[in-house]
């Protein structure tokens, strides 16, 4: 019996698996330039105050993103607030977007999501955007350090590396207040069992009434880190968590003589930054003269002389205006305004679409004048 199949013979038209693959391969990519609506498909309670929201596009779309990137959501609360959330899902599963959100007491955005985002509900988004990512195929030894909801970018990177079955040498250190606050605890155990190169170490500030804790206890410190990852100095470190946590990690590593060139972090806290020059925000402005330009805020009738490198948002504040703004780094899109005339240098981080730029819109938080300008504010 000859059971050799020719390539032609393998094209078994009509088989369900092949039909599926044909359909999947036809799914268009999500285009951040034009696609802007996600539909909630599922909500999962992760811990007492953390939920994961699963979304897909209205029409079938494949999302292309790097693990660690985020999307920015327009939430209909207090008029409208924009909030960014890291995609916690694997970048190797392109048909869904998952975000994992901690409820912040008194915070409008996170509470609205927890209370009102249910399957079937639609939400406007921009992105994916952001540059906090590691190459999942990297041969570097990695150390992830996260606390609280700062686990989300690390989780996406870990899930992606696991899905791609890449040989990784990854140590994942996560800190929580109590064992009941540990997000993804069971999945991390599963991923560890499935990936020989992955080691997870958890630490809790204290036990909780409902969960006994026999693991590392207390704030992450150098002796603890040295026990968890004796070779931490040989690793690339990715860190995400509350501002004070990351400051503590930075200080700890610097004290230990760690090469900070190999340290990367993501802040969830826009408030920690203030409006100012782009250089203060770490952006590199092009080589321009030290010429001052006039910013004419047309609607309010204010004119401000803008110092070199000063953002239009800062100029507006100097004029006593209070334009809506949030992230101060060209990510969230809150400060989008119309540029009536003149030229600006805009160093944005994904918070504006090209078609909006073509319509003369700018994000004033990350735009510096290159000539006298008129802004519709
Ligand atoms: C790139 C990025 C990725 C992120 N990823 C995640 C993620 O994966 N998961 C996650 O849970 N979060 C993430 N965040 C944080 C998220 O965007 C929100 O900041 C968070 O959900 C809180 O939003 P909120 O509207 O509930 O509260 P906020 O409005 O941020 O308020 C937080 C607290 O500050 C108080 N507050 C707010 N504004 C003022 C003010 N003007 N004066 C005084 N107090 C004020 C509020 O009352 C509240 O107590 C990310 C942030 C960024 C920038």
């Amino acid at each position: 019996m000859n059971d050799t199949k020719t390539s032609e013979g393998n094209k078994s038209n009509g088989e369900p698996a092949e039909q599926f693959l044909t359909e999947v391969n036809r799914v268009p990519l999500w285009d951040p330039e034009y696609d802007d609506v996600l539909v909630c498909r599922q909500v999962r309670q992760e811990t007492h105050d953390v939920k994961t929201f699963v979304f897909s596009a209205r029409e079938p779309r494949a999302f292309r993103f790097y693990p660690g990137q985020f999307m920015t959501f327009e939430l209909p609360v207090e008029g409208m607030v924009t909030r960014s959330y890291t995609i916690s899902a694997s970048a190797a599963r392109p048909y869904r977007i998952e975000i994992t959100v901690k409820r912040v007491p008194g915070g409008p955005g996170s509470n609205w999501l927890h209370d009102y985002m249910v399957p079937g509900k639609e939400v406007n988004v921009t992105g994916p955007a952001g540059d906090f990512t590691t190459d999942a195929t990297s041969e570097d030894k990695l150390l992830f350090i996260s606390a609280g909801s700062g686990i989300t970018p690390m989780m996406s990177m870990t899930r992606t590396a696991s899905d791609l079955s890449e040989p990784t040498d990854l140590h994942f250190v996560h800190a929580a207040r109590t064992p009941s606050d540990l997000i993804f605890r069971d999945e991390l155990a599963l991923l560890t069992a499935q990936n020989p190169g992955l080691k997870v170490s958890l630490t809790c500030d204290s036990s909780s009434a409902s969960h006994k804790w026999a693991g590392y206890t207390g704030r992450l410190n150098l002796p603890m880190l040295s026990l968890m990852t004796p070779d931490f100095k040989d690793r690339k470190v990715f860190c995400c968590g509350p501002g004070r946590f990351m400051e503590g990690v930075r200080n700890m590593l610097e004290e230990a003589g760690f090469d900070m060139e190999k340290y990367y972090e993501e802040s969830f806290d826009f408030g920690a930054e203030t409006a100012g020059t782009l250089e203060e925000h770490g952006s590199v402005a092009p080589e321009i003269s030290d010429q001052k330009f006039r910013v004419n805020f047309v609607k309010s009738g204010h004119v401000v002389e803008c110092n070199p490198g000063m953002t239009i948002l800062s100029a507006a504040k100097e004029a006593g205006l209070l334009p809506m703004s949030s992230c101060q780094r060209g990510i969230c899109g809150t400060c989008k305004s119309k540029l009536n005339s003149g030229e600006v240098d805009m160093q944005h981080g994904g918070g504006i679409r090209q078609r909006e730029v073509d319509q003369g819109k700018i994000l004033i938080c990350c735009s510096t004048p290159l000539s006298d300008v008129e802004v519709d504010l």
Side-chain angles (χ1 to χ4, degrees), residues 359-370:
Q359 290 160 5
K361 302 226 171 96
I362 57 168
L363 299 178
I364 59 172
C365 71
C366 59
S367 294
T368 52
L370 294 174

Side-chain angles (χ1 to χ4, degrees), residues 5-27:
K5 285 182 181 169
T6 62
S7 58
E8 195 57 30
N10 275 332
K11 283 189 192 162
S12 45
N13 278 338
E15 281 186 17
E18 182 163 341
Q19 271 178 10
F20 173 78
L21 284 175
T22 310
E23 288 307 315
V24 157
N25 287 335
R26 272 202 210 118
V27 172

Side-chain angles (χ1 to χ4, degrees), residues 70 83-86 100-102 104-111 149 152 266-270 329:
F70 58 86
R83 294 287 183 268
S84 301
Y85 293 100
T86 303
T100 302
V101 180
K102 185 177 167 63
V104 176
S110 59
N111 281 281
S149 58
T152 52
E266 173 85 313
S267 171
F268 283 0
D269 184 8
F270 288 146
R329 0 179 196 146

Side-chain angles (χ1 to χ4, degrees), residues 126-148:
T126 51
D131 53 12
F132 183 68
T133 185
T134 179
D135 183 355
T137 64
S138 161
E139 284 174 11
D140 290 317
K141 288 167 45 157
L142 302 173
L143 171 58
F144 292 171
I145 304 180
S146 62

